[in-house]
Amino acid sequence: MKIKLKLSEKQINALVYSFGVIAKTPTKDRAVKVARSVIDKVALKFKKKQLDVQQGGNLFTRDKKHCFTLEIVEAHYLEQFTILMSEHPLNDYDRNVLRFIGNNLNQQLA
């Protein structure tokens, strides 16, 4: 089963920015290593899409929604990431985007 997520260019930018906020300190906990590994793959997917959107964007495509398909594991850890990041000091728009993504993933995973 695949999870679909539709985001605008601004929402993609906010999500990619939040990936850079998390600390990269290594841990010995297996669960943290697994979560970080999955989130790194998801972050790479979103960063690639962000570059494609920025390079191909113009006045007519700036409000277009871009579709992402995620595996269940990727969606689960991305939802957990958005919950974790909502506690970090971010501006209101970024925090609302992360809540929107987390709620959307939660509804599809339920």
Side-chain angles (χ1 to χ4, degrees):
M1 184 172 133
K2 302 276 185 172
I3 305 295
K4 295 196 184 284
L5 192 61
K6 284 188 174 186
L7 300 175
S8 69
E9 182 178 358
K10 287 183 180 181
Q11 291 171 328
I12 295 170
N13 291 339
L15 182 61
V16 169
Y17 171 77
S18 68
F19 287 132
V21 174
I22 59 173
K24 298 289 184 183
T25 56
T27 61
K28 295 189 179 206
D29 187 19
R30 181 185 297 181
V32 174
K33 286 181 182 179
V34 169
R36 183 161 304 189
S37 154
V38 173
I39 287 297
D40 286 343
K41 289 179 184 178
V42 171
L44 184 63
K45 184 185 291 190
F46 281 98
K47 287 177 184 178
K48 284 180 182 178
K49 187 67 165 188
Q50 180 190 31
L51 286 175
D52 289 344
V53 168
Q54 286 176 349
Q55 288 178 351
N58 59 27
L59 180 65
F60 302 108
T61 62
R62 72 174 175 199
D63 293 333
K64 180 182 173 191
K65 298 275 185 171
H66 304 279
C67 192
F68 295 90
T69 55
L70 301 170
E71 297 289 331
I72 293 177
V73 174
E74 294 173 338
H76 169 74
Y77 282 113
L78 182 58
E79 179 195 12
Q80 296 302 314
F81 172 78
T82 59
I83 293 169
L84 218 158
M85 287 306 298
S86 66
E87 299 171 3
H88 282 281
L90 296 170
N91 64 30
D92 290 337
Y93 180 76
D94 291 349
R95 188 173 296 114
N96 287 335
V97 167
L98 291 176
R99 286 180 184 155
F100 168 77
I101 293 170
N103 289 336
N104 195 337
L105 293 173
N106 187 1
Q107 288 176 359
Q108 292 185 45
L109 287 169

